[in-house]
Amino acid sequence: MGKSAKGPERVKPFSQKKIAYFDRAQKYFNEYDRVMVVECDNVQSRQMQRIRLALRGKAIVLMGKNTTQIKVLQSRLKGGNARDEMLYKKLAGLLIGNVGLIFTHADVGDIIKIIDENKIQAPARVGAVAPLDVYVPAGNTGMEPTKTSFFQALNIPTKITKGTVEILQDQHIIKMGEKVGGSEAALLKMMGINPFFYGMNLTHVYDNGSTYTRSVLELTDEDKRKMFNDGIANITALSLATGFTTQASFPHVVMNAFKSFLAISLTTDFEFEKGAEIVQAIKEGKAVGGGGGGGGAAAPAAAEAPAAKAEAKKEESDEEEEGDMGFGLFD
């Protein structure tokens, strides 16, 4: 029997809902150059609705499957536009897990503030990954002595005070990044502690071709100043070590040269105008201030030179006297 001929492959058409999603996503990527990637783990539908309302007029939230969002970015590569290529390169690798996109022209700090204000407090659920460290505070719990087994299971020291369980000191029972166990969840529930806050969590920001994390936005002026000073110090150290003079190392090169001139001037008859006053003060045993082109810093180093030289001469003279006593061994 001959094989039956196969008909042409049927291509499954996109649903109207998916087509509408593609069109909406394409519109947002065309209009906005600033895209925020947010994690949405444990975000409830009602909470999401409140966030959308709070962001109205400032930003637009786009949720959806990661594969669908990546397909939207891939479809834009057909045009060969450099901007679309950058979008795909920077964003595609960030669309992992339960994430969404926020498109905005507003300041990122304002959007983060709105997101953080819409986080809700929630109890610790068994198996959930802790987003922060959880401590049980010291003090009276108000629980009956029969509940001590829960504390013993977690190695929490307690005592019975007036018929109730009292925790002796603060206890770290859940570490950030660890899964919540059954004993920890039960204890926190009995104590009425809701340790976690759930909501959108900003992971990355795409802004005109560059990406950065939330930690960059949280840098204070003092942090930026310290980073800048550390960078200058590293450049200076590298320049001095290699002998390659830069703008950062030039003041140190000049200072070192000035110190060398002072040392030479103190030990020889060589004189130079800028150091004459400092050299004279050192020879007279007077204290030298910080003025005069860094003389204060150079004075101690320069003053040590003649003293060291005099000490060396004295030791040499003593050795000569010991070596020649005026008679030979067999005299």
Side-chain angles (χ1 to χ4, degrees):
M1 294 177 63
K3 294 182 180 178
S4 58
K6 290 185 178 180
E9 262 189 52
R10 295 184 61 188
V11 179
K12 185 179 178 181
F14 288 115
S15 65
Q16 290 298 320
K17 185 177 180 181
K18 185 170 286 189
I19 292 173
Y21 181 89
F22 263 73
D23 292 341
R24 190 166 70 253
Q26 295 285 14
K27 177 186 175 185
Y28 296 156
F29 281 118
N30 287 333
E31 291 182 1
Y32 295 90
D33 288 319
R34 186 174 295 156
V35 186
M36 304 167 65
V37 182
V38 289
E39 289 180 345
C40 301
D41 293 332
N42 301 303
V43 178
Q44 302 173 2
S45 57
R46 186 175 295 180
Q47 183 183 4
M48 179 67 73
Q49 187 178 4
R50 288 202 302 267
I51 294 173
R52 290 181 185 273
L53 289 172
L55 291 174
R56 183 171 292 176
K58 297 179 180 178
I60 297 174
V61 180
L62 179 68
M63 302 300 298
K65 293 182 178 180
N66 297 342
T67 53
T68 304
Q69 294 172 343
I70 291 174
K71 284 180 180 178
V72 172
L73 292 170
Q74 286 176 336
S75 68
R76 300 175 64 87
L77 297 177
K78 298 176 183 178
N81 187 293
R83 178 178 178 274
D84 292 333
E85 291 177 0
M86 184 62 69
L87 272 169
Y88 178 79
K89 180 181 177 181
K90 296 288 188 179
L91 286 179
L94 303 177
L95 300 177
I96 301 173
N98 185 19
V99 298
L101 301 175
I102 297 179
F103 298 84
T104 184
H105 291 306
D107 184 81
V108 176
D110 295 338
I111 304 301
I112 291 176
K113 185 178 180 182
I114 294 174
I115 291 174
D116 290 344
E117 287 173 350
N118 284 277
K119 290 186 176 182
I120 59 173
Q121 197 167 3
R125 300 184 181 90
V126 179
V129 178
L132 46 80
D133 292 319
V134 179
Y135 292 84
V136 174
N140 198 306
T141 63
M143 296 183 187
E144 298 177 355
T146 55
K147 303 293 185 181
T148 53
S149 59
F150 288 96
F151 297 96
Q152 291 172 355
L154 297 171
N155 297 319
I156 299 177
T158 59
K159 68 177 182 178
I160 306 302
T161 304
K162 296 181 180 180
T164 57
V165 178
E166 181 180 344
I167 299 175
L168 299 180
Q169 58 186 14
D170 293 350
Q171 290 295 314
H172 189 188
I173 64 169
I174 303 176
K175 294 181 179 179
M176 183 174 65
E178 292 184 351
K179 288 188 176 181
V180 179
S183 300
E184 291 89 345
L187 178 61
L188 291 170
K189 184 177 180 181
M190 284 192 302
M191 296 183 67
I193 297 175
N194 295 329
F196 300 151
F197 289 85
Y198 292 124
M200 285 185 174
N201 180 37
L202 176 68
T203 60
H204 293 84
V205 178
Y206 171 87
D207 195 349
N208 287 298
S210 62
T211 55
Y212 49 88
T213 61
R214 177 169 181 164
S215 59
V216 175
L217 298 169
E218 294 174 345
L219 289 174
T220 63
D221 291 340
E222 186 61 32
D223 293 332
K224 296 174 184 176
R225 189 179 298 109
K226 184 178 183 302
M227 291 173 65
F228 179 80
N229 290 337
D230 289 345
I232 294 296
N234 290 335
I235 292 173
T236 303
L238 180 62
S239 300
L240 292 173
T242 59
F244 183 80
T245 305
T246 62
Q247 188 173 357
S249 66
F250 184 73
H252 298 273
V253 173
V254 173
M255 180 62 69
N256 291 336
F258 185 79
K259 290 178 181 179
S260 298
F261 277 122
L262 280 180
I264 294 171
S265 182
L266 281 167
T267 56
T268 66
D269 294 332
F270 171 76
E271 293 183 0
F272 65 107
E273 183 180 353
K274 296 293 183 181
E277 184 179 345
I278 299 173
V279 171
Q280 185 64 31
I282 294 173
K283 288 180 176 179
E284 294 176 358
K286 295 180 180 179
V288 182
E304 289 176 2
K309 187 174 180 180
E311 185 67 24
K313 285 183 177 179
K314 182 179 179 182
E315 290 178 1
E316 185 179 350
S317 176
D318 291 342
E319 288 176 0
E320 289 177 356
E321 291 177 2
E322 291 176 2
D324 184 12
M325 300 296 293
F327 53 84
L329 182 62
F330 300 102
D331 287 349

